[in-house]
Amino acid sequence: MKVKEGFKTTIGTLFRLFPLSTEPGLRAFGNPSEDSPVFVTSNFHLTVKRVSRYLKDLDCYLLVAPTSSINVWCAAVGGMFNAHSIISIIKTSGIGERVNHRTLILPQLSAPGVDTELIKDETGWHSRFGPVYAKEIPEYVRKGFQKSDDMRRVKFNLMDRLDTGVGVSLAFFLPVAVILAIFWRGWLLEFVALGGSLLLLMYASFTYIPGRSGWAKVLFYEALVAAGLLIYLFPLGGGSSYIRNLFLAAMILVPLIGIDFGGVSPLYKSDLDPLLHRVGIHRIGSVSFKGRATIKEENITLDQSECIGCELCYDVCPKGIYDMDESQNVAIMVKPDSECVACRACILQCPTDAISLRARR
Amino acid sequence: MKILESAPHRYDAGINMLSLGRIDRLKKEIAENYISPGDNVLDIGCGTGTLAILCAERRASVIGFDISPQMLNIAQRKIEERHLGEKIELREMGATQMDSAFEDERFDKVVSTLVFSELYSDEQKYVLRQTFRILKPGGLLIIADEVKPNSLLKRSLHLVVRIPLAVITYVFTQTTTRELREIERAITDAGFRMIFTKRSLLGSLGLFVAKKAER
């Protein structure tokens, strides 16, 4: 069983672009009582695995909601993690008979998809948004379910970057490697070595590279390789066609590795989705990216006259765009629109529709 | 259901390909053997409406519900083409809304094809409990679905046929189904008595008929 689990997790980590399912339902950790907190997550195998790691020393319940086996943020933005996923798991799991309170703690990144008012109307359960990262949950519980600003922010540290880079890129690398192995074996080793090191380099240095979007960063790497080629050709004479070809191969690989460099990171908008959308591709498989695509041409606007100071936008924004003006009791935008990752959490959560999208002037 | 929704206009073709035409024959069999004129029938996850239409053609009154509006649009069109609008009511809702949608002992028959294999196990139990509640005493639950063959030999044979078929079907239609396990146990746990089960030759497609006891 343990071997099988480990195998599943390894495959899931390496090929995370493909949904890997785990059974929705109720999980208990420690010795939960009637007062124990109830957390919610998605039914993507890796997600449940990682969340469980941080809950195992607490006394609590975890509801694994049906989200088409897709991770929390992607499922919430893509429409698979919504109020109905949660209503369904509340009704079918019997959690209401286990605890005497009616409060769910949702992952903050489910905010783009979950209509908490609908959950309350249908089931009587209240929702609050916990930290972005499961590893912050023990600290969040210790602090009496208070969330610091740091817990509200998405980050992209070195381990996350390498993890994402390898996970996202293998789905492209492996088929190409297989094709090369069959038809062009002479280049297989070069492809693996060059592609692999470019991949690791690009993701490792991601946050240090100038550029305010994924593609701007890709352009920088491309310029770097081109500069390398020019130096090799002119000052050094460019003797070997083999090395010239390696440079050219790198120039092809860099944009392929970075094809959605912004979109795979939690820090930037996708550059690829709007382009696909414009050429008429509105979905890949079951994932529609209409919303993510159009927001690129629109700006988030906040109408303060409609704001009631509920702090929800401030609570759910993973980039800290909003802050509260305590004297006026309204939300204010404290960061430029370019910081926004277009997750739409604030738009859905705002109870008075004070936040909306306006076409860019 | 959730996976099938992504390409509703290809659903009918896809599912027929995947089941080699058997699912359509099974739906006809359900309507002919179990549906009588005047029956109140509920179709859980009616999809594109094939079975609901077959039941209505046997002069039953049918309510069909599905979570996918795209699938229901296709069902609505098929119903209008056959002038069965009087006999079939379609509703857009999910299975877990059954508790508030239907009163007790409302239906004579509840049918459901290729739906249970798409539900997670707690959801199956919930739907079976609700079905038991809304069926009249003596009413029938009729489920047709993909099942895991029960002998190793059949399972291996099934895999040999199923994997290439599933790949071809997915490539052309982007639809697929999952297989159902231990459904009979869940049905009897909800209070029903099994009265008939049938598996296709390779054991991969099953028909399950269960009865709620007479009062």
Side-chain angles (χ1 to χ4, degrees):
Chain A
M1 205 58 213
K2 210 154 194 176
V3 176
K4 207 172 156 188
E5 270 295 299
F7 179 70
K8 196 174 173 185
T9 305
T10 311
I11 294 292
T13 309
L14 294 179
F15 296 95
R16 69 184 53 191
L17 283 189
F18 301 97
L20 190 62
S21 175
T22 194
E23 182 78 10
L26 177 67
R27 317 269 202 278
F29 294 89
N31 295 305
S33 71
E34 290 188 325
D35 303 311
S36 295
V38 179
F39 296 94
V40 180
T41 194
S42 66
N43 80 319
F44 182 48
H45 173 79
L46 271 191
T47 306
V48 175
K49 195 96 192 153
R50 291 186 181 183
V51 172
S52 302
R53 194 190 305 160
Y54 301 111
L55 295 186
K56 70 179 197 309
D57 298 325
L58 301 172
D59 297 324
C60 65
Y61 289 105
L62 176 66
L63 288 174
V64 179
T67 61
S68 301
S69 320
I70 291 170
N71 70 70
V72 170
W73 210 11
C74 290
V77 175
M80 294 85 161
F81 192 170
N82 54 32
H84 295 291
S85 323
I86 295 177
I87 293 166
S88 158
I89 200 67
I90 289 173
K91 286 189 181 181
T92 58
S93 65
I95 182 67
E97 291 139 38
R98 307 274 187 116
V99 293
N100 56 18
H101 64 85
R102 290 289 177 268
T103 303
L104 298 170
I105 300 166
L106 309 181
Q108 185 187 310
L109 294 184
S110 70
V114 178
D115 179 349
T116 56
E117 285 299 308
L118 186 59
I119 297 174
K120 199 165 83 196
D121 291 347
E122 290 267 324
T123 66
W125 282 76
H126 296 264
S127 308
R128 61 200 290 178
F129 292 102
V132 165
Y133 293 100
K135 65 167 180 266
E136 310 275 12
I137 290 176
E139 177 73 5
Y140 171 73
V141 172
R142 232 185 339 269
K143 284 191 169 152
F145 302 93
Q146 293 303 311
K147 204 159 66 160
S148 65
D149 279 352
D150 190 52
M151 291 181 188
R152 294 190 166 94
R153 305 282 184 270
V154 284
K155 300 171 187 79
F156 204 30
N157 63 34
L158 183 64
M159 275 317 286
D160 284 352
R161 296 203 297 274
L162 295 178
D163 193 15
T164 307
V166 172
V168 166
S169 305
L170 259 185
F172 154 75
F173 265 62
L174 212 64
V176 175
V178 169
I179 291 169
L180 287 182
I182 297 169
F183 297 107
W184 218 3
R185 193 160 308 173
W187 276 90
L188 181 61
L189 188 68
E190 281 82 354
F191 170 75
V192 173
L194 189 64
S197 43
L198 278 173
L199 168 71
L200 293 178
L201 263 171
M202 283 172 69
Y203 274 91
S205 58
F206 184 96
T207 35
Y208 308 107
I209 296 301
R212 304 190 75 129
S213 79
W215 281 358
K217 289 176 192 285
V218 168
L219 204 62
F220 182 85
Y221 288 109
E222 195 70 352
L224 225 52
V225 179
L229 178 60
L230 287 177
I231 290 169
Y232 179 72
L233 283 182
F234 299 110
L236 301 176
S240 153
S241 66
Y242 175 74
I243 292 182
R244 276 205 313 269
N245 285 340
L246 278 183
F247 272 110
L248 291 174
M251 290 189 73
I252 296 170
L253 282 169
V254 165
L256 285 175
I257 292 169
I259 191 159
D260 194 14
F261 219 24
V264 299
S265 83
L267 306 179
Y268 299 97
K269 285 178 199 158
S270 170
D271 303 295
L272 182 65
D273 290 357
L275 183 76
L276 290 177
H277 195 257
R278 195 164 294 165
V279 299
I281 302 169
H282 303 292
R283 60 191 315 143
I284 290 177
S286 57
V287 179
S288 155
F289 37 79
K290 189 162 171 284
R292 286 206 337 172
T294 52
I295 204 167
K296 187 87 181 171
E297 279 92 44
E298 293 166 314
N299 277 353
I300 293 267
T301 52
L302 165 66
D303 179 357
Q304 282 180 332
S305 67
E306 296 282 331
C307 178
I308 53 169
C310 71
E311 303 191 3
L312 266 170
C313 54
Y314 162 73
D315 186 33
V316 299
C317 180
K319 295 279 286 178
I321 302 271
Y322 302 96
D323 203 344
M324 298 309 294
D325 179 343
E326 305 286 344
S327 61
Q328 310 273 330
N329 194 33
V330 289
I332 42 175
M333 291 176 78
V334 291
K335 280 188 187 167
D337 190 74
S338 57
E339 285 279 309
C340 169
V341 288
C343 75
R344 295 174 165 239
C346 54
I347 299 177
L348 178 72
Q349 296 304 325
C350 178
T352 59
D353 295 331
I355 301 169
S356 58
L357 290 169
R358 299 272 164 79
R360 190 159 288 175
R361 280 175 295 273
Chain B
M1 293 300 299
K2 282 152 199 139
I3 305 167
L4 307 180
E5 270 167 46
S6 63
H9 53 287
R10 288 178 292 225
Y11 178 88
D12 281 350
I15 219 70
N16 256 322
M17 205 159 146
L18 196 65
S19 75
L20 300 169
R22 290 172 302 169
I23 194 71
D24 265 8
R25 286 204 295 279
L26 205 51
K27 283 177 180 173
K28 284 203 185 77
E29 194 180 321
I30 292 172
E32 280 165 19
N33 293 352
Y34 298 103
I35 306 299
S36 321
D39 272 354
N40 275 316
V41 178
L42 175 68
D43 187 351
I44 297 176
C46 61
T48 55
T50 311
L51 179 57
I53 287 167
L54 289 168
C55 295
E57 283 172 348
R58 290 186 61 82
R59 286 182 287 127
S61 298
V62 187
I63 294 180
F65 75 79
D66 204 288
I67 200 162
S68 158
Q70 292 90 345
M71 300 276 253
L72 289 173
N73 281 342
I74 294 172
Q76 189 62 44
R77 208 180 58 223
K78 282 161 70 177
I79 291 164
E80 278 162 18
E81 279 166 12
R82 291 165 179 79
H83 307 290
L84 289 168
E86 301 262 293
K87 285 294 200 185
I88 305 175
E89 179 193 338
L90 296 178
R91 292 192 196 175
E92 183 190 331
M93 58 174 257
T96 46
Q97 285 166 281
M98 284 176 72
D99 54 354
S100 52
F102 308 110
E103 68 268 35
D104 293 0
E105 305 190 354
R106 152 116 199 233
F107 296 101
D108 301 287
K109 313 280 156 68
V110 172
V111 298
S112 188
T113 53
L114 297 182
V115 170
F116 273 71
S117 51
E118 295 299 326
L119 305 178
Y120 56 94
S121 83
D122 281 353
E123 202 176 14
Q124 288 174 8
K125 288 175 197 153
Y126 167 92
V127 171
L128 288 169
R129 283 198 302 272
Q130 290 299 324
T131 303
F132 191 80
R133 178 182 67 79
I134 62 181
L135 268 176
K136 293 176 184 167
L140 294 183
L141 163 67
I142 303 133
I143 293 175
D145 224 312
E146 281 206 291
V147 290
K148 226 172 179 101
N150 41 18
S151 82
L152 187 64
L153 179 67
K154 279 186 177 176
R155 265 209 295 280
S156 331
L157 269 172
H158 170 62
L159 272 185
V160 171
V161 181
R162 158 104 192 174
I163 291 177
L165 206 57
V167 170
I168 293 167
T169 306
Y170 186 81
V171 166
F172 284 108
T173 68
Q174 277 133 52
T175 58
T176 176
T177 63
R178 276 172 28 193
E179 293 161 284
L180 189 68
R181 283 167 218 203
E182 298 189 3
I183 185 66
E184 290 175 59
R185 174 115 131 268
I187 292 173
T188 48
D189 280 352
F192 291 98
R193 188 167 55 87
M194 295 298 309
I195 59 171
F196 183 72
T197 61
K198 187 178 96 168
R199 282 162 185 261
S200 60
L201 190 62
L202 279 177
S204 62
L205 207 58
L207 175 65
F208 305 91
V209 184
K211 189 170 185 173
K212 178 174 173 177
E214 306 272 359
R215 225 185 321 252

